[in-house]
């Protein structure tokens, strides 16, 4: 998000620390702007590759 502040800056007023908190907890609302980027696609692929090698307990998955 920091690389593309035009997508969020006008929606998150305040100090840099307040903006950091807002970005952290509001990220899912603005993810639509980032999904198509090559960086997001690459990061998603990497995450899924890593997770595919792990056995994630069902109770952990059901929490989210």
């Amino acid at each position: 998000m920091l690389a593309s502040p035009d997508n969020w800056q006008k929606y998150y007023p305040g100090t840099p620390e307040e903006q950091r908190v807002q970005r952290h907890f509001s990220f899912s609302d603005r993810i639509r702007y980032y999904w198509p980027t090559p960086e997001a696609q690459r990061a998603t692929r990497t995450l899924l590759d890593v997770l595919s090698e792990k056995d994630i307990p069902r109770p952990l998955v059901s929490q989210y």
Side-chain angles (χ1 to χ4, degrees):
M1 289 181 73
L2 293 176
S4 301
D6 291 344
N7 292 337
W8 59 268
Q9 206 163 36
K10 65 183 174 184
Y11 301 104
Y12 301 150
T15 67
E17 177 59 20
E18 291 168 333
Q19 289 178 336
R20 184 193 68 77
V21 170
Q22 291 177 66
R23 284 191 313 270
H24 179 78
F25 290 104
S26 299
F27 182 69
S28 62
D29 177 49
R30 306 226 172 263
I31 190 68
R32 65 185 176 274
Y33 298 117
Y34 301 97
W35 276 124
T37 67
E39 296 86 356
Q41 295 294 312
R42 195 169 30 257
T44 301
R45 196 172 328 120
T46 300
L47 175 63
L48 293 176
D49 288 346
V50 169
L51 290 177
S52 71
E53 299 170 6
K54 306 291 181 192
D55 184 28
I56 302 172
R58 285 183 173 261
L60 178 62
V61 173
S62 69
Q63 289 179 17
Y64 302 96

